[in-house]
Amino acid sequence: MSSALTHILSNECPICHKGKVFTDKNIFLTFGLPKMNEYCSHCNYKFQKEPGYFFGAMYVNYGLTVAQGIATYCIAQFFFEKISI
Ligand SMILES: [Zn+2]
């Protein structure tokens, strides 16, 4: 009996558990990012990030950037004089 964590750590395909996800045999002892196979060698499953994978990070990043801008504006009010034209 094997768990999902065992399959992840042993670099096995999430569908058939027989093919390899990465080309390197040991993904923990490589320099840089490991190379990923495009398709599973056993079941021909296409390995790719699902559409919208980064959308959540974009929303969080936008909120943090707006909050940082507002905080910077509020703090800068104490150090700069208003210019009246
Ligand atoms: Zn597979």
Side-chain angles (χ1 to χ4, degrees):
M1 183 175 187
S2 56
S3 66
L5 184 62
T6 305
H7 295 303
I8 291 170
L9 294 176
S10 60
N11 188 21
E12 293 176 350
C13 171
I15 305 299
C16 67
H17 307 297
K18 293 183 180 176
K20 297 294 182 187
V21 176
F22 294 100
T23 56
D24 300 331
K25 290 184 178 180
N26 190 345
I27 59 172
F28 301 107
L29 295 175
T30 60
F31 293 104
L33 294 174
K35 300 245 186 264
M36 195 170 170
N37 290 322
E38 190 170 349
Y39 293 95
C40 176
S41 61
H42 189 262
C43 68
N44 210 25
Y45 178 76
K46 185 174 184 181
F47 300 123
Q48 64 179 4
K49 292 175 183 164
E50 61 190 54
Y53 182 77
F54 294 108
F55 282 175
M58 289 171 51
Y59 291 130
V60 170
N61 187 25
Y62 178 75
L64 290 174
T65 303
V66 168
Q68 182 183 16
I70 292 171
T72 302
Y73 175 79
C74 292
I75 292 170
Q77 294 292 313
F78 296 109
F79 299 103
F80 296 101
E81 294 180 14
K82 289 188 178 179
I83 299 173
S84 58
I85 299 174

